[in-house]
Amino acid sequence: MAKIRGAIVVDTERCKGCELCMYNCPTQTIGMEHKVNSKGYHYAYMENPEACIGCTNCAVVCPDGVITVYKKKFEQ
Amino acid sequence: MDINEIIKEENLVYRKSAVLNDKVFNFCPGCGHGVVQKLIAEVVEEMNIESEVIGVGSVGCSVLVYEFMELDVVSAAHGRAAAVATGIKRVMPDKYVFSLQGDGDLAAIGTSESIHACNRGENITMIFINNGIYGMTGGQMAPTSLHGMKTATSPYGRNEAMGHPIRMSDVVAQLEGTYYVTRQAVHTPAMVRKAKKALRQAFENQKLNKGLSFVEFVTNCNSGWKLSPIKANQWLDQHMLPFYPLGDIKTEGVIVTKDK
């Protein structure tokens, strides 16, 4: 069976740490980084990269357009 | 499995629209204004009309629309975005003209311009962001503030003496000049996807030359409401949406009757 894996890239300098991506992620992939960016916001990152399915929910709901989403189908 | 195997150009499924530039939005974290501006950029990019769009910004949090988009945008005086958009559209009927206004602009100081533009059936797209508060000036009561809503100028909650919240979309839907009136929200992924379709419809209606398209977005104002972004969205779900129900109010010039 083919397995779908996704990955996100966060533009950490644009991120304002509103946590909406984390809240709307169906697979609990996203967490907030302990470190802060130059404006002092805790930015989003992939806490469980294995769980990402590339559904784009986080990127769609992000008010600042910081998330880029990639998705690939792997044949097993 | 290496993550770099997935992060490749051919696997790209979502990126920030190219119509948006690299400037960081100056909105508060979690603000719905950002999503709406992102949607406008995406719709313009998908329709491939970047060089044919003229936007009209207003006064309020939506004032800096010209900063973030690679589009031609005019800033109108407070409340007068619909009047300025009317002028632009009448001089250049081939261009796509949209106005972006908040509730303080469209539903308070600019009610007259907005209603008359709708009544004249100008062939423009009006985008209305309703967060029930004057966000930019510090969270004062707006005409759209709900009953009992605490704001800076109604600290004990809006009461009867302060009037009732106005449902602008329902008001303009009654006017014969409007062709498409819809109310959307942008606080969950499903609603954002739905809202994008409605916004695209509103832009495409300009080709038909049949009247004004009015899109209302019910959004949060977490700074004004004094809540965290996630809590503000939950509050929006519980309090705003029952008063401002989502969905199309008028399509193809006919008011949608809801079956109960």
Side-chain angles (χ1 to χ4, degrees), chain A residues 3 5-9 11 13-14 16-20 22-24 39 41 46 49-50 54-74 76, chain B residues 1-3 5-16 20-35 38 186-190 192-193 220 229-230 233-234:
Chain A
K3 193 175 185 236
R5 282 281 313 271
I8 61 165
V9 177
D11 184 347
E13 275 306 303
R14 277 177 80 95
K16 292 178 187 160
C18 67
E19 303 184 2
L20 290 184
M22 190 173 95
Y23 182 72
N24 284 296
K39 285 189 178 144
Y41 293 121
M46 281 176 92
E50 296 292 312
C55 67
T56 72
N57 273 9
C58 53
V60 163
V61 86
C62 174
D64 293 282
V66 306
I67 302 175
T68 310
V69 186
Y70 299 87
K71 186 157 112 176
K72 193 177 180 182
K73 203 172 173 183
F74 288 96
Q76 282 184 336
Chain B
M1 213 179 305
D2 190 20
I3 206 88
E5 258 181 72
I6 306 168
I7 301 173
K8 280 181 188 160
E9 196 60 34
E10 68 261 27
N11 300 331
L12 183 80
V13 282
Y14 189 96
R15 58 154 180 76
K16 179 171 75 77
L20 290 176
N21 57 27
D22 288 334
K23 284 182 193 146
V24 182
F25 285 138
N26 62 343
F27 307 121
C28 310
C31 176
H33 267 273
V35 188
K38 209 174 70 168
V186 288
H187 63 288
T188 67
V192 176
R193 291 190 174 102
N220 60 6
I230 292 170
N233 285 350
Q234 288 165 345

Side-chain angles (χ1 to χ4, degrees), chain B:
Chain B
M1 213 179 305
D2 190 20
I3 206 88
N4 290 326
E5 258 181 72
I6 306 168
I7 301 173
K8 280 181 188 160
E9 196 60 34
E10 68 261 27
N11 300 331
L12 183 80
V13 282
Y14 189 96
R15 58 154 180 76
K16 179 171 75 77
S17 166
V19 174
L20 290 176
N21 57 27
D22 288 334
K23 284 182 193 146
V24 182
F25 285 138
N26 62 343
F27 307 121
C28 310
C31 176
H33 267 273
V35 188
V36 174
Q37 296 206 6
K38 209 174 70 168
L39 285 186
I40 296 171
E42 283 173 14
V43 166
V44 168
E45 193 185 13
E46 274 177 23
M47 288 173 74
N48 206 11
I49 50 170
E50 289 93 330
S51 55
E52 295 159 55
V53 173
I54 301 171
V56 182
S58 61
V59 175
C61 288
S62 49
V63 67
L64 287 170
V65 53
Y66 59 84
E67 276 284 292
F68 311 116
M69 277 191 242
E70 298 291 321
L71 297 175
D72 294 327
V73 181
V74 183
S75 278
H78 200 0
R80 275 63 185 166
V84 174
T86 300
I88 295 170
K89 186 71 182 182
R90 288 199 175 191
V91 175
M92 288 182 275
D94 300 337
K95 303 281 182 194
Y96 291 85
V97 181
F98 75 88
S99 67
L100 178 66
Q101 297 173 275
D103 45 4
D105 198 78
L106 189 144
I109 191 167
T111 324
S112 156
E113 276 78 4
S114 310
I115 285 181
H116 284 294
C118 292
N119 198 30
R120 289 192 306 267
E122 299 297 340
N123 194 27
I124 56 172
T125 301
M126 279 172 78
I127 300 165
F128 168 40
I129 298 179
N130 173 9
N131 51 19
I133 208 161
Y134 289 165
M136 187 192 231
T137 50
Q140 289 85 357
M141 193 186 83
T144 46
S145 295
L146 302 175
H147 287 299
M149 191 165 164
K150 284 182 183 167
T151 67
T153 44
S154 61
Y156 304 107
R158 183 178 191 171
N159 59 30
E160 297 268 309
M162 297 171 192
H164 307 280
I166 181 168
R167 293 184 180 101
M168 258 333 257
S169 293
D170 296 86
V171 172
V172 300
Q174 300 297 326
L175 304 171
E176 281 179 31
T178 49
Y179 183 69
Y180 179 58
V181 181
T182 185
R183 190 186 285 118
Q184 302 290 334
V186 288
H187 63 288
T188 67
M191 284 175 188
V192 176
R193 291 190 174 102
K194 232 174 158 179
K196 188 175 165 184
K197 280 187 195 144
L199 192 62
R200 169 131 195 192
Q201 180 70 48
F203 271 90
E204 286 189 347
N205 284 347
Q206 291 200 26
K207 281 185 217 157
L208 304 174
N209 233 344
K210 281 200 173 153
L212 190 138
S213 300
F214 189 97
V215 188
E216 171 177 349
F217 291 99
V218 183
T219 70
N220 60 6
C221 177
N222 47 69
S223 300
W225 298 353
K226 314 273 184 276
L227 294 166
S228 72
I230 292 170
K231 286 222 173 88
N233 285 350
Q234 288 165 345
W235 194 92
L236 190 153
D237 256 334
Q238 287 162 7
H239 297 91
M240 291 283 277
L241 294 190
F243 191 81
Y244 296 111
L246 304 181
D248 290 346
I249 295 163
K250 195 174 187 182
T251 50
E252 297 180 1
V254 182
I255 292 178
V256 178
T257 45
K258 288 196 177 78
D259 299 315
K260 280 183 182 170

